[in-house]
Amino acid sequence: MRTSGGSRSSILTTRLSAGLAVGLLAVGCQPGLRGEATEATATTAGLAVSTTASVADVTAPAHRSAGRNGVVELFYEDVTGADRAVRFEVRMPAAVGDAVDADGEVPVVVWSHGGSRGKDDPGRVGETWGKAFNEAGYAFVAVAHPGRSAEEREAVCDAVGASPCELYNTLYWDRPHDVQQVFDWIDERGAEAGIDADRIVYGGHSAGAISTMVVAGVDWVFDDELAPPSDDRPIAFVTASPPGVEARSLTEDRFDELDRPMLFLTGKGDSTGSTQATDRRATFSLLPDDPTSFMLWVDHGAARHDAFNLSRSGCQRAGGSAEQCRTMVRTIARVGTEFVDTVTTDGDPSTYFDLVDQNLSGPFDWHHT
């Protein structure tokens, strides 16, 4: 049975001033979930949350070069009954854009990284996309999805009915659950940092794009009863290097529950392992006509996989000139930020399509459902 995030609860009764040097959570010393004392730990809505960040820390300029903001660690019980830790970093913009609301709150992009083995340091997640969204005036939450040992993977496979386990990437199960905890935190604590919990956009690159699609409602069933959870809180999705039709055995009916706009970002050189670039592009054809979704296809062989994580290195190794690769990455970033501009300000999707289309030149194909 597919589950969905519930309605937002108003746990916070007051909104703290961003200038107050007050901890995001109560600071104290109490038993941690792992049976040891953990400093700066509080329990909120059933979650054990550890952080040393203050509101002032979290609202500081957000780029890595400007210093780390607030790093939060959450613990929750996973499908095997064990405690799973998820760490994320909150990066606020140095200056807000037009999307700021009357309360001074800005929309937020929650981001899941690529890579099948997981990460423990959220500071190494979404550094390029985070900078792009911060510069556009948006908050950015970088989520580190930890990997698992062989024993832990077997336990997850047994719990969800995935067989054979050696062919199953447990991150496809874990990531949607991880980000649900992050969404809960934004609901309960985001306003203290100036984040608007009603305007969450969820995105990711590569393996993170798979999680994005699952959370959006794309059916990803492992047995007849159990599937990763969709969530109704994000208002739109950014899928950079999406999964392929053949590689993931996708069919049109898997997208029946997709009811929010999605942006696909991929291109001619975006092939990895068993997933070909054209296979990624084919997934877009499965999306429903309503709501309107979009795809930027970069019709150039130098549009390698990491270009959609806003890196120029693969493009240049593939023979692209410095200028070509710079233009490619800047265009991908611009299309992504303009998409978030549109969905967080109630913009007209057709206007967004025309705006992007009029400003594209070179090897860029622009599509909508």
Side-chain angles (χ1 to χ4, degrees), residues 242-302:
V245 170
E246 293 183 10
R248 305 300 171 191
S249 301
L250 299 174
T251 53
E252 190 171 2
D253 60 304
R254 296 278 195 98
F255 295 82
D256 286 348
E257 301 301 317
L258 184 62
D259 60 359
R260 287 157 289 178
M262 184 174 286
L263 172 66
F264 272 36
L265 300 166
T266 187
K268 191 174 182 179
D270 192 8
S271 296
T272 56
S274 62
T275 304
Q276 298 300 308
T278 52
D279 196 26
R280 298 185 195 277
R281 178 173 181 161
T283 302
F284 185 74
S285 67
L286 303 180
L287 271 60
D289 294 339
D290 186 24
T292 303
S293 291
F294 306 88
M295 179 177 68
L296 177 70
W297 170 264
V298 186
D299 196 27
H300 194 295

Side-chain angles (χ1 to χ4, degrees), residues 68-80:
R68 299 286 286 273
N69 296 172
V71 176
V72 180
E73 186 173 40
L74 305 178
F75 296 93
Y76 70 96
E77 184 176 299
D78 70 13
V79 70
T80 71

Side-chain angles (χ1 to χ4, degrees), residues 21-39:
V22 179
L24 281 174
L25 301 174
V27 176
C29 197
Q30 52 183 305
L33 282 181
R34 301 179 189 276
E36 57 187 11
T38 303
E39 187 176 359

Side-chain angles (χ1 to χ4, degrees), residues 3-7 180 184 229-233:
T3 58
S4 175
S7 60
Q180 279 201 326
D184 287 344
S230 61
D231 197 289
D232 63 5
R233 284 170 289 189

Side-chain angles (χ1 to χ4, degrees), residues 271-343:
S271 296
T272 56
S274 62
T275 304
Q276 298 300 308
T278 52
D279 196 26
R280 298 185 195 277
R281 178 173 181 161
T283 302
F284 185 74
S285 67
L286 303 180
L287 271 60
D289 294 339
D290 186 24
T292 303
S293 291
F294 306 88
M295 179 177 68
L296 177 70
W297 170 264
V298 186
D299 196 27
H300 194 295
R304 295 300 179 92
H305 191 58
D306 66 349
F308 301 96
N309 201 32
L310 304 187
S311 170
R312 299 196 299 267
S313 59
C315 174
Q316 291 177 323
R317 287 196 303 270
S321 69
E323 182 58 31
Q324 283 177 323
C325 296
R326 187 180 302 110
T327 298
M328 186 181 298
V329 168
R330 286 178 176 174
T331 301
I332 294 167
R334 178 174 62 82
V335 170
T337 56
E338 288 179 359
F339 174 73
V340 174
D341 287 343
T342 299
V343 298

